[in-house]
Amino acid sequence: MLNQVSNYFELDLGAWQLTDVSQQSFRVIPKRKSWSGYGDYHFLNNGLLLGRGDIYNGTGVVEESMPFRCFFGIHILIDANYDLTASNLKQTVSARPKQIWGRYGNFGEICTTWQENSRQQVVSLDFPEELLLRWQEDFALPDWLNLPKHGMSGDDGGLILLSDLPIKPALILQALRIINQPTETLTDSLTLESLALSLCGRLLSPSSDGASSSQTQTMTKKSLMIKNKVDDAIDIIHAEYHLPLTISGLARQVGINECYLKQGFKERTGQTIATYIRQLRLQQALRLLLDEGMSVQQTAYYVGYRDVGHFSQIFKKEFGYLPSEL
């Protein structure tokens, strides 16, 4: 299974211990005693390689690594504090929170300076060459994804700070959901893949760097703005459905008038915001009851209901059974 990684990048396990290897994933943990956390990689069904890392550095260290090559990958830095130099890179890279980097090619030998008492939370997506070439033929991709310049062959590599992408709180929240998503059951794994594909779709949208598809060209600037704000609100709902969300609070978070948000949300989903939140909570509740074996009270609290009786009533109205009858 580890041989498959070479289709995406060269894997150097020098400072990491390999654990939990399966046909679809593997996990690494730091060897240094002053470090804690994990990193794992998941091979998705369409060919993407999803990486997740949540590491706490108790001590700072300068780490030299083997030469690194990759085809093309994207890093979403939720939290980060390190500096990177490489023999084939023209600049020193300062990795900081809420950055998004694209990487490609031959980096050469790498030197990373990890800061003391810092946390690294990173989600990565790596693409095999044949997948991106197929997408390039079939779909409009962002201008920054200039495939002829990318690849594992050649004498140089590159990092692209995607500063033109809208680094929205909802996008970072979605990456954080991926970090926190469990993988114990089949449902968990399918949810993880769904989250990763959704994140990939946002990152590779032609409109993410100012390019427009034929569909968005026909939209007015105002309607496109509303659509994007509604998408942000949907992402926030999926990340925070267990919290006491309000329409006014959502509108304030995404930066739009409440009336525009309600109207745009109904057009986008066919549902009111309240109905959407309720159904999302109940679907999550059903999963927790059936797959995780949670009690009715635990489930109600987990998905955002403090009144167990009210939760049971709306659950029965939605599914035809009381949660205690499952």
Side-chain angles (χ1 to χ4, degrees):
M1 188 277 300
L2 289 178
N3 292 334
Q4 299 178 47
V5 179
S6 62
N7 295 325
Y8 306 86
F9 56 78
E10 294 179 350
L11 179 65
D12 178 13
L13 291 174
W16 306 91
Q17 179 180 341
L18 186 64
T19 66
D20 300 335
V21 179
S22 71
Q23 290 185 345
Q24 295 297 322
S25 65
F26 64 93
R27 188 179 183 93
V28 294
I29 57 175
K31 292 180 180 178
R32 295 186 180 91
K33 294 182 179 180
S34 58
W35 289 26
S36 60
Y38 77 96
D40 61 16
Y41 292 89
H42 302 263
F43 294 92
L44 306 185
N45 290 325
N46 69 340
L48 289 173
L49 176 61
L50 169 68
R52 307 186 299 173
D54 191 356
I55 303 293
Y56 176 76
N57 311 335
T59 57
V61 66
V62 177
E63 178 183 51
E64 294 185 357
S65 305
M66 295 173 57
F68 176 79
R69 295 173 183 263
C70 65
F71 178 66
F72 185 73
I74 298 175
H75 276 217
I76 300 96
L77 307 183
I78 302 166
D79 199 358
N81 190 10
Y82 62 90
D83 298 308
L84 180 147
T85 59
S87 57
N88 290 341
L89 289 181
K90 298 178 181 179
Q91 79 272 32
T92 297
V93 175
S94 296
R96 298 296 182 261
K98 299 181 181 179
Q99 291 179 342
I100 298 180
W101 290 90
R103 53 169 167 75
Y104 63 89
N106 179 6
F107 281 45
E109 296 181 352
I110 292 178
C111 180
T112 307
T113 303
W114 303 98
Q115 302 301 319
E116 183 179 10
N117 295 325
S118 62
R119 188 177 189 182
Q120 323 301 327
Q121 285 187 307
V122 182
V123 171
S124 65
L125 291 169
D126 276 271
F127 306 81
E129 184 174 7
E130 62 274 14
L131 178 64
L132 275 185
L133 291 176
R134 187 169 71 246
W135 284 355
Q136 186 184 42
E137 292 177 357
D138 296 340
F139 306 104
L141 296 180
D143 289 342
W144 53 263
L145 190 57
N146 191 356
L147 292 181
K149 293 183 180 179
H150 302 160
M152 296 179 69
S153 60
D155 297 328
D156 59 2
L159 280 167
I160 312 166
L161 178 58
L162 303 177
S163 56
D164 291 336
L165 281 175
I167 312 302
K168 304 173 182 177
L171 191 151
I172 298 299
L173 282 171
Q174 188 167 2
L176 189 58
R177 287 187 68 204
I178 290 175
I179 288 280
N180 294 326
Q181 173 61 32
T183 56
E184 301 297 325
T185 68
L186 175 60
T187 301
D188 290 340
S189 296
L190 292 174
T191 300
L192 179 66
E193 181 158 356
S194 175
L195 290 171
L197 292 177
S198 175
L199 183 63
C200 179
R202 276 186 167 274
L203 291 169
L204 297 186
S205 169
S207 60
S208 65
D209 62 345
S212 297
S213 66
S214 58
Q215 180 181 8
T216 58
Q217 286 174 351
T218 63
M219 300 177 70
T220 66
K221 183 176 180 180
K222 182 178 179 180
S223 62
L224 182 58
M225 179 273 293
I226 293 174
K227 175 184 177 300
N228 290 337
K229 298 294 187 182
V230 169
D231 286 343
D232 289 347
I234 291 173
D235 285 343
I236 292 172
I237 289 170
H238 278 264
E240 302 180 1
Y241 65 88
H242 58 291
L243 300 177
L245 297 172
T246 64
I247 294 175
S248 60
L250 282 171
R252 186 166 54 252
Q253 280 186 270
V254 301
I256 191 176
N257 178 277
E258 288 184 39
C259 293
Y260 285 140
L261 177 61
K262 289 190 289 186
Q263 179 181 352
F265 198 97
K266 184 67 177 295
E267 292 175 355
R268 179 82 166 81
T269 66
Q271 297 176 311
T272 65
I273 295 174
T275 299
Y276 189 93
I277 294 173
R278 183 177 68 252
Q279 291 192 351
L280 177 61
R281 285 175 169 176
L282 292 176
Q283 288 294 334
Q284 291 297 323
L286 183 64
R287 180 184 69 82
L288 293 171
L289 290 165
L290 293 179
D291 295 343
E292 308 298 332
M294 279 192 178
S295 69
V296 175
Q297 185 176 38
Q298 286 176 320
T299 300
Y301 287 172
Y302 191 92
V303 300
Y305 292 99
R306 295 296 175 262
D307 186 332
V308 179
H310 175 63
F311 165 70
S312 297
Q313 290 175 1
I314 62 173
F315 189 95
K316 182 175 182 179
K317 185 176 181 180
E318 179 72 17
F319 298 114
Y321 296 93
L322 290 170
S324 58
E325 296 174 331
L326 298 181

